[in-house]
């Protein structure tokens, strides 16, 4: 059993270690096995110059302190362990330890174990990646170079202007004015050319629109003429049909007239034949009966009257 004094010393050491871990922005654990005094001395010197607190620690003490802070390093707390803590610059501590790990790799077992950054545990690959970044001093130098560059350029330009001959300055100003005037003239010429092209395009569009309108009117007139012609053509057959109907009616009337005339002639001829037959029979009867002369005379008179009547009927039929 450890003595009470030894136990209190260990508790005090763990408490101090907890405070150091909490106040540090970055911490890296390494195995220093095999490193000689010379390399260890150089390593510690570079750490002090970079503001890094580098020290050897027992695994048991570091286990208690890390658990109290919230880090779990149990799997990595084997063999020899050294801890490097930096309150501000994570790049410097990672760069130094990465350099020594590569340098002592062949002859020693100096290796990186694990670490923490901004409250999170980081692995070996992350430590190597951080170590490849430029250091804080280098980053500040690059930033200052970027900020000073415009000022340096302005100073160089002002110095060049101050060293110029006044005559050269006047000549350059005159040349600049001439170039400006030429540029303005060319710009006006371009504007005029563009305006002329625009006007020509407007005129061409107007002429084209007028031609299109005239062509459309011509087509409409031709369409109207064609429509009138078709109407006249349609009307002519109607007129022709009407004339044909009139001719058919006249022909029908003429045929009817001819039929009536032929009928009358036939009737008249039959009547004449009948009268002739009767007149031939009467003389024979008169011969047989001589005493009836008076009756024969009356028959002759009637025959003459009928003959006149027949002639009159034929004339009227001819006239009709």
């Amino acid at each position: 059993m450890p003595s009470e004094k030894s136990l209190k010393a260990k508790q005090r050491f763990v408490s101090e270690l907890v405070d150091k871990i909490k106040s540090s922005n970055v911490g890296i654990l390494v195995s220093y096995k095999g490193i000689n005094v010379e390399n260890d001395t150089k390593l510690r010197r570079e750490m002090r110059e970079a503001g890094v607190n580098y020290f050897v620690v027992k695994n048991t003490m570091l286990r208690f302190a890390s658990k109290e802070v919230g880090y779990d390093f149990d799997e990595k707390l084997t063999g020899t362990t050294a801890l490097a803590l930096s309150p501000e610059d994570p790049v410097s501590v990672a760069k130094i330890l990465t350099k020594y790990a590569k340098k002592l790799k062949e002859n020693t077992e100096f290796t990186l174990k694990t670490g923490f950054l901004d409250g999170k545990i980081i692995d070996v690959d992350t430590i190597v990646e951080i170590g490849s970044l430029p250091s804080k001093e280098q980053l500040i130098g690059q930033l200052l170079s970027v900020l000073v560059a415009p000022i340096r350029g302005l100073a160089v330009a002002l110095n060049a202007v101050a060293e110029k001959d006044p005559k050269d300055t006047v000549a350059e100003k005159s040349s600049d004015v001439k170039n400006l005037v030429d540029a303005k003239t060319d710009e006006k010429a371009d504007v005029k050319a563009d305006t002329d092209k625009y006007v020509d395009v407007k005129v061409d569009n107007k002429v084209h629109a007028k031609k299109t309108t005239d062509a459309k009117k011509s087509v409409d007139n031709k369409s109207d003429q064609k429509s009138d012609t078709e109407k006249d053509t349609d009307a002519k057959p109607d007129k022709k049909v009407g004339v044909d109907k009139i001719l058919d009616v006249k022909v029908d009337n003429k045929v009817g007239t001819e039929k009536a005339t032929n009928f009358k002639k036939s009737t008249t001829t039959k009547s004449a034949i009948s009268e002739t037959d009767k007149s031939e029979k009467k003389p024979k009867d008169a011969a047989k009966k001589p005493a009836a002369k008076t009756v024969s005379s009356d028959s002759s008179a009637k025959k003459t009257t009928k003959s006149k009547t027949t002639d009159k009927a034929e004339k009227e039929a001819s006239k009709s």
Side-chain angles (χ1 to χ4, degrees):
M1 292 280 302
S3 63
E4 185 178 355
K5 185 177 180 180
S6 177
L7 183 61
K8 288 182 178 180
K10 289 180 181 180
Q11 290 177 351
R12 187 168 54 253
F13 179 81
V14 171
S15 178
E16 291 175 357
L17 185 57
V18 169
D19 293 337
K20 290 179 181 180
I21 294 173
K22 287 182 178 180
S23 62
S24 299
N25 183 35
V26 60
I28 298 176
L29 280 68
V30 297
S31 175
Y32 60 91
K33 187 177 181 179
I35 189 172
N36 56 27
V37 177
E38 182 182 358
N39 290 326
D40 186 67
T41 302
K42 291 179 180 179
L43 174 61
R44 290 175 181 275
R45 184 185 301 115
E46 291 186 15
M47 288 292 187
R48 285 194 300 270
E49 292 175 354
V52 178
N53 187 10
Y54 176 79
F55 56 93
V56 176
V57 64
K58 290 183 178 181
N59 293 330
T60 304
M61 301 297 179
L62 183 57
R63 183 180 293 111
F64 285 124
S66 61
K67 285 184 178 180
E68 188 173 345
V69 175
Y71 300 130
D72 186 6
F73 298 139
D74 288 350
E75 295 180 359
K76 303 296 182 180
L77 296 177
T78 58
T80 60
T81 303
L83 179 61
L85 299 174
S86 177
E88 296 179 357
D89 187 9
V91 178
S92 297
V93 60
K95 188 181 289 295
I96 295 171
L97 293 175
T98 302
K99 180 181 71 173
Y100 274 88
K102 291 180 180 179
K103 180 180 177 181
L104 304 174
K105 182 177 181 181
E106 296 180 359
N107 301 324
T108 66
E109 296 181 9
F110 187 92
T111 57
L112 302 172
K113 288 186 175 183
T114 185
F116 64 89
L117 176 64
D118 292 333
K120 296 181 181 179
I121 297 176
I122 56 176
D123 56 9
V124 176
D125 294 335
T126 305
I127 296 172
V128 173
E129 186 176 357
I130 295 172
S132 64
L133 297 173
S135 63
K136 183 178 180 181
E137 291 75 10
Q138 291 175 341
L139 292 174
I140 293 174
Q142 293 177 1
L143 178 61
L144 291 175
S145 178
V146 171
L147 295 175
V148 171
I151 300 174
R152 184 185 298 110
L154 179 61
V156 172
L158 293 174
N159 187 34
V161 172
E163 292 178 354
K164 281 186 178 181
D165 190 356
K167 294 182 179 179
D168 296 336
T169 304
V170 173
E172 288 182 0
K173 289 183 178 180
S174 300
S175 178
D176 294 338
V177 172
K178 185 178 180 181
N179 293 332
L180 181 61
V181 172
D182 293 339
K184 288 291 184 179
T185 304
D186 294 338
E187 185 179 354
K188 289 182 179 179
D190 293 338
V191 171
K192 185 177 180 182
D194 293 338
T195 304
D196 294 339
K197 289 181 181 179
Y198 179 76
V199 172
D200 293 338
V201 170
K202 283 289 186 180
V203 172
D204 293 338
N205 291 336
K206 188 174 182 180
V207 172
H208 179 70
K210 185 176 181 181
K211 289 182 179 179
T212 304
T213 304
D214 295 339
K216 186 176 181 181
K217 288 181 179 180
S218 177
V219 171
D220 293 339
N221 292 333
K222 288 183 179 180
S223 299
D224 295 338
Q225 292 177 0
K226 185 176 180 181
S227 177
D228 295 338
T229 303
E230 290 177 354
K231 288 181 181 179
D232 294 340
T233 304
D234 295 338
K236 286 181 180 180
D238 295 338
K239 291 180 180 179
K240 186 176 180 181
V241 171
V243 172
D244 292 339
K245 289 182 179 180
I246 294 172
L247 292 176
D248 292 339
V249 171
K250 287 185 178 182
V251 170
D252 293 338
N253 292 335
K254 186 176 181 180
V255 171
T257 303
E258 290 179 356
K259 287 183 178 180
T261 302
N262 291 333
F263 178 76
K264 288 182 179 181
K265 287 183 179 181
S266 175
T267 303
T268 304
T269 303
K270 287 181 179 179
S271 299
I273 292 171
S274 177
E275 292 297 330
T276 303
D277 291 338
K278 287 180 180 182
S279 63
E280 287 180 355
K281 287 179 180 181
K282 286 180 179 182
K284 289 181 179 182
D285 293 335
K288 292 179 179 182
K289 296 178 180 182
K293 288 182 180 180
T294 307
V295 175
S296 177
S297 298
D298 293 335
S299 297
S300 297
K302 290 178 180 181
K303 183 178 180 180
T304 303
T305 305
K306 288 181 178 180
S307 178
K308 289 180 180 181
T309 304
T310 301
D311 293 337
K312 188 176 179 180
E314 290 178 354
K315 287 180 180 181
E316 290 178 357
S318 298
K319 289 179 180 181
S320 63

